[in-house]
């Protein structure tokens, strides 16, 4: 059975801090790993990673995948209160038409 | 970008009643719809996958007679929670994939918060 585990489950930091969120996975026929941000409603897409070692970057957010060690990290620098959300990690595999989501990390930024 | 409209956004009902949730793709043909459930402080759990014109495929542990899914057209899928009970209270989200699209290219609805009294 495919499994995605995120850590920490929750994180509280002060505005301006840098955070690193972790996602490890066990899937057969891995295809991609995705990061989403969820603020009370539907998840919004952040990144899709398919290759090891290639950093994806969008503003203060960046992510990288390690397919050998089966994990990914999501970094957020100079955090702002608007970054407070649940961050979800999901994986897809070849031959299976669905995403498997992790438990999520609840990030809270204190002003 | 593609838009998926989900209604209602919130519903409160009495135990024993049935609730229908609609998910519409507004500007593309959704050949596949995924229905997820999310309990407080937990992640999205896939309930079922439906392809237009076919019966839905349910995940293990999800009762197909309780959670009726209809995907009769390329723009509309519905989830009906039959004889709802308090333990069915949850956040339900649909997501849609267009023709030939990868599973990663999903468009999510805004979700429905169901509260069963």
């Amino acid at each position: 059975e495919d499994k995605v585990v995120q850590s920490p489950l929750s994180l509280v930091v002060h505005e301006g801090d840098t955070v690193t969120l972790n996602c490890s996975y066990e899937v057969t026929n891995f295809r991609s790993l995705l990061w989403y941000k969820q603020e009370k409603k539907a998840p919004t897409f952040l990144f899709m990673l398919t290759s090891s070692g290639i950093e994806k970057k969008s503003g203060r957010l960046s992510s990288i995948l390690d397919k050998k060690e089966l994990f990914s990290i999501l970094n957020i620098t100079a955090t702002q209160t608007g970054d407070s959300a649940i961050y979800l990690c999901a994986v897809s595999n070849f031959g299976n038409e669905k995403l498997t989501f992790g438990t999520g990390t609840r990030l809270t930024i204190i002003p | 970008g593609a838009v998926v409209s989900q209604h209602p956004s919130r519903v409160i009902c009495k135990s024993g009643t049935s609730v229908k949730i609609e998910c519409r793709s507004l500007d593309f043909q959704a050949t596949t719809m995924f229905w997820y459930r999310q309990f407080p402080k937990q992640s999205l759990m896939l309930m079922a996958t439906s392809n237009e014109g076919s019966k839905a495929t349910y995940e293990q542990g999800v009762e197909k007679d309780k959670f009726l899914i209809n995907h009769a057209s390329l723009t509309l899928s519905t989830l009906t929670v039959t004889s709802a009970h308090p333990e069915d209270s949850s956040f339900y989200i649909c997501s849609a994939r267009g023709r030939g699209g990868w599973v990663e290219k999903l468009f999510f609805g805004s979700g429905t918060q169901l509260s069963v009294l």
Side-chain angles (χ1 to χ4, degrees), chain B residues 24-95:
Chain B
R24 293 180 184 273
S25 57
L26 300 184
D27 52 2
F28 70 102
Q29 293 182 331
T31 53
T32 305
M33 286 278 197
F34 302 88
W35 286 94
Y36 293 87
R37 179 168 53 184
Q38 185 177 33
F39 291 108
K41 300 186 179 180
Q42 295 187 25
S43 189
L44 298 175
M45 298 298 295
L46 181 66
M47 298 175 67
T49 303
S50 72
N51 292 299
E52 184 265 337
S54 304
K55 287 185 178 180
T57 301
Y58 290 81
E59 294 299 302
Q60 193 172 7
V62 178
E63 299 174 58
K64 62 177 68 175
D65 294 330
K66 180 168 186 62
F67 298 100
L68 302 179
I69 291 173
N70 184 287
H71 192 173
S73 79
L74 285 170
T75 58
L76 174 65
S77 177
T78 60
L79 167 66
T80 301
V81 183
T82 61
S83 187
H85 291 284
E87 58 265 30
D88 299 323
S89 298
S90 185
F91 190 60
Y92 293 86
I93 301 182
C94 65
S95 66

Side-chain angles (χ1 to χ4, degrees), chain A residues 36-39 41-45 88 101, chain B residues 44 93 108-109:
Chain A
Y36 292 89
K37 178 182 181 183
Q38 186 179 25
E39 297 171 274
K41 290 192 174 180
T44 53
F45 173 83
L88 297 170
F101 283 85
Chain B
L44 298 175
I93 301 182
F108 286 88

Side-chain angles (χ1 to χ4, degrees), chain A residues 27-36 43-51 56 65 89-101, chain B residues 32 34 36 95-98 100-108:
Chain A
V27 297
T28 53
N29 297 319
F30 172 85
R31 183 160 80 183
S32 67
L33 184 144
L34 300 97
W35 284 97
Y36 292 89
T44 53
F45 173 83
L46 295 176
F47 298 111
M48 183 174 86
L49 303 157
T50 56
S51 300
K56 294 240 176 158
L65 174 68
C89 172
V91 295
S92 71
N93 51 13
F94 289 99
N96 193 334
E97 288 293 313
K98 61 183 183 181
L99 295 179
T100 300
F101 283 85
Chain B
T32 305
F34 302 88
Y36 293 87
S95 66
R97 178 173 66 89
W102 283 23
V103 69
E104 294 88 348
K105 193 74 171 176
L106 291 182
F107 302 99
F108 286 88

Side-chain angles (χ1 to χ4, degrees), chain A residues 2-108:
Chain A
D2 298 338
K3 188 190 299 185
V4 179
V5 178
Q6 291 183 245
S7 64
L9 291 180
S10 66
L11 185 59
V12 181
V13 300
H14 287 95
E15 199 167 22
D17 289 350
T18 293
V19 297
T20 298
L21 309 183
N22 304 291
C23 176
S24 64
Y25 61 90
E26 293 177 25
V27 297
T28 53
N29 297 319
F30 172 85
R31 183 160 80 183
S32 67
L33 184 144
L34 300 97
W35 284 97
Y36 292 89
K37 178 182 181 183
Q38 186 179 25
E39 297 171 274
K40 294 184 180 180
K41 290 192 174 180
T44 53
F45 173 83
L46 295 176
F47 298 111
M48 183 174 86
L49 303 157
T50 56
S51 300
S52 269
I54 300 175
E55 184 184 54
K56 294 240 176 158
K57 198 171 172 63
S58 176
R60 296 177 292 103
L61 277 67
S62 64
S63 183
I64 198 162
L65 174 68
D66 186 328
K67 289 170 72 172
K68 182 179 178 184
E69 300 299 327
L70 307 183
F71 79 92
S72 172
I73 60 172
L74 174 68
N75 278 321
I76 308 176
T77 59
T79 52
Q80 302 171 357
T81 54
D83 295 328
S84 295
I86 296 174
Y87 289 84
L88 297 170
C89 172
V91 295
S92 71
N93 51 13
F94 289 99
N96 193 334
E97 288 293 313
K98 61 183 183 181
L99 295 179
T100 300
F101 283 85
T103 47
T105 293
R106 180 180 292 273
L107 176 64
T108 303

